[in-house]
Amino acid sequence: MDAVATRHPRLPVDLPSGLLVDGTWTASAAGATFRVHDPATGAELATVADARAEDATAALEAAVRAQRTWRHTPPRVRADILRGAYDEVRRRRDEFAALMTLEMGKPLAEAQGELDYGTDFLRWFSEEAVRIDGGYQVAPNGSGRIMVMRQPVGPCLLITPWNFPLAMATRKIAPAIAAGCTMIIKPSELTPLTTLLLSQVLIECGLPPGVLNVLTTTTPAEVTRPLLDDGRIRKLSFTGSTEVGRILLEQCGRQIVRTSMELGGNAPFLVFADADLDAAVDAAMLAKLRNMGEACTAANRFYVQRAVAADFAKALAERFAALRLGHGLDDGTQIGPLIEPAAVQKVDRLVGDAVGRGARVLTGGRAPAGPGFFYPPTVLDAVPLDAELMREEIFGPVAPVIAFDSEQQAIDLANDTEYGLVAYVFTKNLDRAVRVSEALDVGMVGLNQGIVSNAAAPFGGVKASGLGREGGSEGIAEYLDTKYVALNVSQ
Ligand SMILES: NC(=O)c1ccc[n+]([C@@H]2O[C@H](COP(=O)([O-])OP(=O)(O)OC[C@H]3O[C@@H](n4cnc5c(N)ncnc54)[C@H](O)[C@@H]3O)[C@@H](O)[C@H]2O)c1
Ligand SMILES: O=CCCC(=O)O
C-alpha cells in the first residue's frame, strides 16, 4: 500500500494514497493526483490519487464481481466485520479525530463527538445485519401462501459531502455492508482522508476485496456519470447540496437507479414565550454552531415570540461573542475555520445583504484578517423577511433572529421554504408542542433540544431536503429489495 505522497507534520497517521479498487490501493490510471489542505492554515496536508473515468470502470467491475459472492455471505459474518470496525475505529479514535479536524477544520472536541456519532452507525448496522426479515402468510382466500423476502439491492454508488467526513461515510457504508451490497464510495475532494482511513480499517477487519471501492477525484461528475449510465449500479445514496441532488436524480432516471437523497436544509428554530429561555439559548448554541454551522441540520432562521425576542437575541449574542476562534487542534478552540474561501465569501455576502436590507449586527459580522478561512459567530436581529439568508442555506455561524406574534404565524414562517429537513421547537406547552410538530413540513423535529442526530433514528427530510432515510431500521431498507413469492399449496 502506497503511503500518502506528502506527509504533514501534524498528520496523525500514514494513509493509503487514494484509490481502492478490488482490494488494492492504486494510483489513478492517468497518474493524476490532487492536494488536500488544512482549512485553518491553508497548508498542504496530503496528496492523493485523482480518479478518472477509467478508474471508475475498474471499480465497477470489481464491485459487480464481488456482489456475486458477497450477497450470500452469512449475515453474522457481515455483522462481525461491522462490529470489528466499530471497535477498531474507537480504538484509533485519536487518529481519526485529529484527521477530521485537520482536513475539515472542526475543533477536536467536535471531531471526537463525530467519532462517537459516526461509529454508532457501524454498531447499529452490525446489529441490524442479522435481523433482515421477510414474511409468510396464508393468502386471504385460503389458496396458496404469500412469502416475502428482502434481498440486497446490488452494487451501490455512495457520494458523500465534506462536513462530517466519518459519519456521512459510515451512515452509507454500514447499511450497505449489513444488507449484503458491494459499493463504490466517492468522498468529497475537500475531505477524502477520513474515508481512506476508514476503508483501510474495514479491509483490516475482513471486508473482502471488491466489496468496498474508493474513488477520490476532483472530477466527480465525469467519474460518477458513467457509473449511473451503466445499468449495473442499482442504488445511489447521495448526501450533499440540493443543486447536485437534482442533477443526480435526473441521471438516475435513465437506468431507474434507486436513490437516497440527503440534501440541503433551512431549519427554523421556534421559541415561544412560554419556553425555558436559558434552555432555548443553550440549544441554539448547539443547533447553530455545531460544525461552525456547516451542517444540513443547522438552525438557519430563529423565529422568537415577540415578548422574549430581544432577551433571546441579547443572550445569544453574548454567548457567541465569548467564543474562541482558532485551529481545531489547539487547546481552547471552540470555533474552527470554514471549509474554503468561497464559504467565507458566501457567508459574508449573505450577512451583507441582510444588513443592507435593515438587519442589525449584535455581534460578529465581519471576517477577521489573517490566514485560514475564518468567520466569527454572528447574531443579527430585526432581519427583514426578504433577506437572502432567509431562503438560502447559510452554512456558517450566523444566527438571524426574527420576532413573531402568533403560533400560526410561526408555523407559516417556518414552512415558507423549499426545504424540509429539520425544525426546532421550544415550548413548555405539550398541546402546542404536538400541534406545531404536526404542522411543520419537515422530516425531523427537535423538541426542546438542539440536535436530532442519532444512529437509531430515521434521519432525512421532505421537499427539497431529500428522499429516503438513513439510520434506524429504515436505514437498511434503502439497500434491500422486496421480493414476493406466490406459493401454490395443494389443499
Ligand atoms: N441532508 C443531509 O444529511 C446532509 C448532510 C451533510 C451535508 N448536506 C448538504 O450538503 C451540502 C454541503 O456539502 P457539499 O458542499 O459537499 O455538497 P456538494 O453537493 O457540493 O457535494 C457533495 C458531494 O457531491 C459531489 N459532487 C458534486 N457535484 C457532483 C456531480 N455533478 N456529480 C456527482 N457528484 C458530484 C462532491 O464531490 C461531493 O462528494 C449542503 O447543502 C448540506 O446541507 C446534507
Ligand atoms: O450535515 C448534515 C448531517 C448532520 C448530522 O447527521 O447530524
Side-chain angles (χ1 to χ4, degrees):
M1 173 191 74
D2 305 331
V4 158
T6 306
R7 274 195 48 74
H8 182 283
R10 299 183 85 167
L11 205 62
V13 61
D14 282 332
L15 291 167
S17 66
L19 306 186
L20 175 63
V21 177
D22 206 13
T24 303
W25 293 101
T26 64
S28 76
T33 60
F34 67 94
R35 292 180 172 80
V36 183
H37 294 91
D38 172 353
T41 62
E44 181 183 324
L45 274 178
T47 300
V48 297
D50 197 348
R52 295 290 183 268
E54 55 267 44
D55 301 301
T57 302
L60 177 59
E61 295 303 335
V64 169
R65 198 166 40 248
Q67 183 68 41
R68 298 184 195 113
T69 51
W70 177 245
R71 64 175 293 133
H72 301 300
T73 306
R76 176 58 67 200
V77 170
R78 304 201 298 262
D80 287 349
I81 290 170
L82 286 170
R83 181 63 202 223
Y86 169 80
D87 293 334
E88 181 62 6
V89 174
R90 296 188 69 79
R91 187 185 70 80
R92 299 175 64 176
R93 65 182 296 122
D94 292 342
E95 289 175 11
F96 272 92
L99 190 58
M100 280 191 269
T101 293
L102 277 169
E103 68 171 349
M104 187 265 156
K106 64 182 73 184
L108 195 55
E110 288 213 38
Q112 293 282 2
E114 182 180 345
L115 193 287
D116 293 333
Y117 177 45
T119 53
D120 246 359
F121 289 104
L122 295 169
R123 177 173 56 180
W124 175 262
F125 287 108
S126 75
E127 297 160 350
E128 290 286 283
V130 295
R131 291 181 175 76
I132 298 172
D133 59 4
Y136 179 87
Q137 68 186 96
V138 176
N141 64 7
S143 67
R145 301 294 182 267
I146 295 170
M147 186 165 77
V148 177
M149 61 184 79
R150 298 201 294 168
Q151 297 178 313
V153 71
C156 304
L157 174 58
L158 314 177
I159 302 176
T160 53
W162 49 263
N163 59 345
F164 287 84
L166 180 67
M168 297 303 100
T170 55
R171 198 159 82 172
K172 299 177 186 301
I173 292 172
I177 288 173
C181 296
T182 61
M183 68 210 81
I184 299 168
I185 185 165
K186 199 232 47 81
S188 172
E189 53 278 21
L190 295 171
T191 56
L193 305 180
T194 304
T195 297
L196 296 178
L197 185 57
L198 171 66
S199 303
Q200 182 181 312
V201 166
L202 281 161
I203 302 297
E204 291 167 358
C205 289
L207 203 62
V211 174
L212 172 64
N213 301 277
V214 183
L215 296 177
T216 49
T217 181
T218 57
T219 59
E222 290 71 17
V223 165
T224 60
R225 182 171 185 141
L227 296 173
L228 294 174
D229 282 345
D230 180 90
R232 290 176 290 175
I233 287 286
R234 297 313 312 144
K235 164 83 181 182
L236 167 66
S237 181
F238 171 74
T239 297
S241 63
T242 295
E243 175 195 358
V244 175
R246 287 192 170 106
I247 293 170
L248 293 171
L249 277 168
E250 281 187 31
Q251 291 179 8
C252 287
R254 279 191 288 278
Q255 296 290 355
I256 314 298
V257 176
R258 275 186 66 179
T259 66
S260 297
M261 288 279 151
E262 296 291 351
L263 306 177
N266 182 9
F269 190 102
L270 307 184
V271 182
F272 289 90
D274 65 18
D276 175 336
L277 209 55
D278 291 339
V281 171
D282 288 342
M285 296 294 289
L286 186 55
K288 179 68 263 185
L289 296 178
R290 176 175 174 243
N291 232 41
M292 287 75 70
E294 296 170 306
C296 57
T297 50
N300 214 58
R301 300 168 285 152
F302 289 79
Y303 296 113
V304 185
Q305 203 150 27
R306 198 169 300 280
V308 297
D311 290 346
F312 176 87
K314 178 174 179 293
L316 193 64
E318 287 168 0
R319 296 281 294 273
F320 273 36
L323 294 171
R324 180 171 166 178
L325 279 66
H327 194 294
L329 288 182
D330 294 343
D331 289 344
T333 293
Q334 295 166 295
I335 297 288
L338 300 188
I339 190 67
E340 58 185 346
V344 176
Q345 292 151 16
K346 171 185 173 183
V347 173
D348 221 26
R349 169 178 60 83
L350 290 171
V351 170
D353 168 77
V355 171
R357 295 172 191 266
R360 281 186 312 170
V361 178
L362 300 189
T363 186
R366 186 180 300 278
F373 319 134
F374 291 91
Y375 198 86
T378 297
V379 176
L380 306 174
D381 78 351
V383 179
L385 295 182
D386 64 352
E388 290 173 5
L389 51 62
M390 298 296 285
R391 316 199 71 74
E392 195 175 335
E393 188 174 42
I394 300 168
F395 236 57
V398 176
V401 179
I402 304 98
F404 71 85
D405 295 301
S406 71
E407 179 181 300
Q408 188 56 51
Q409 185 193 16
I411 292 168
D412 294 342
L413 286 169
N415 285 336
D416 181 19
T417 172
E418 67 168 329
Y419 295 99
L421 188 62
V422 63
Y424 303 93
V425 179
F426 290 80
T427 177
K428 290 178 186 167
N429 180 319
L430 181 59
D431 289 351
R432 167 177 285 149
V434 172
R435 260 197 323 267
V436 173
S437 297
E438 290 180 350
L440 291 170
D441 298 332
V442 292
M444 304 176 284
V445 177
L447 200 44
N448 294 323
Q449 65 180 49
I451 187 168
V452 297
S453 311
N454 187 323
F459 186 106
V462 297
K463 302 194 309 187
S465 289
L467 300 165
R469 292 296 182 266
E470 294 194 304
S473 53
E474 294 84 348
I476 198 168
E478 301 283 351
Y479 295 88
L480 295 167
D481 277 338
T482 297
K483 181 183 289 177
Y484 145 55
V485 178
L487 272 63
N488 179 10
V489 177
S490 56
Q491 298 304 331

